[in-house]
Amino acid sequence: MAFACVGACVSDAGQHIAHNPVSLVPPYSELPPAPAGMSIEAGTKVTLDARQQEAVVAGVSKWMKTPASTRFGIMNGARNSRGTITVCGEVDGRNGNGAYVGMKPYVGVMMGTPAAPEFVVVGIAASERERAEVVSLCRESGVSASS
């Protein structure tokens, strides 16, 4: 009887996050790593157009456990000198138990063409360490850091 109670009290950490682990998919996973010592270039803030916003929503939602229930907060972008747009924002979704977990920061890069943009998610924070990493990437990229 005691084992049943203990087993029921032990939580599965995966149940408490609203997104699946993020990893780069081909062809982006096949790109070479950045050279050692290379820093992130801060970009200039840009306003995302409707297609770009839709691409961000689609790109982030596919990593969520329940995409249809995904809610978005802020969404900001910055373009660097090479034309690459980094997008940072906040997303909330339902975890494995069906409860919303609260807004979490995400970061990614706009790829594709202006007519057919694609958003590649680099990370969605689940822990405090990941939150610090995402916020740091956003700040270094010239995008307003999420809370």
Side-chain angles (χ1 to χ4, degrees):
M1 180 75 85
F3 293 112
C5 180
V6 171
C9 295
V10 176
S11 66
D12 177 9
Q15 291 288 97
H16 299 293
I17 60 171
H19 69 278
N20 297 308
V22 175
S23 60
L24 293 177
V25 295
Y28 310 111
S29 60
E30 298 161 6
L31 295 172
M38 186 172 194
S39 62
I40 296 173
E41 176 189 346
T44 304
K45 290 182 183 178
V46 295
T47 301
L48 302 174
D49 66 29
R51 283 187 177 140
Q52 291 169 323
Q53 290 176 25
E54 289 173 12
V56 172
V57 169
V60 172
S61 293
K62 70 181 172 184
W63 291 103
M64 303 303 286
K65 288 186 176 179
T66 55
S69 66
T70 302
R71 301 187 294 197
F72 286 83
I74 63 168
M75 184 184 301
N76 296 308
R79 181 187 320 268
N80 68 18
S81 66
R82 294 179 309 282
T84 302
I85 299 175
T86 301
V87 179
C88 297
E90 294 181 335
V91 64
D92 190 9
R94 295 183 188 270
N95 63 16
N97 295 326
Y100 280 101
V101 300
M103 289 290 179
K104 304 292 182 189
Y106 65 85
V107 60
V109 179
M110 196 64 66
M111 303 298 282
T113 65
E118 179 182 2
F119 184 68
V120 178
V121 176
V122 174
I124 303 172
S127 67
E128 286 305 312
R129 180 186 56 79
E130 291 169 344
R131 175 180 291 274
E133 290 171 355
V134 168
V135 170
S136 176
L137 283 171
C138 291
R139 188 177 304 113
E140 290 177 43
S141 297
V143 184
S144 299
S146 58
S147 59

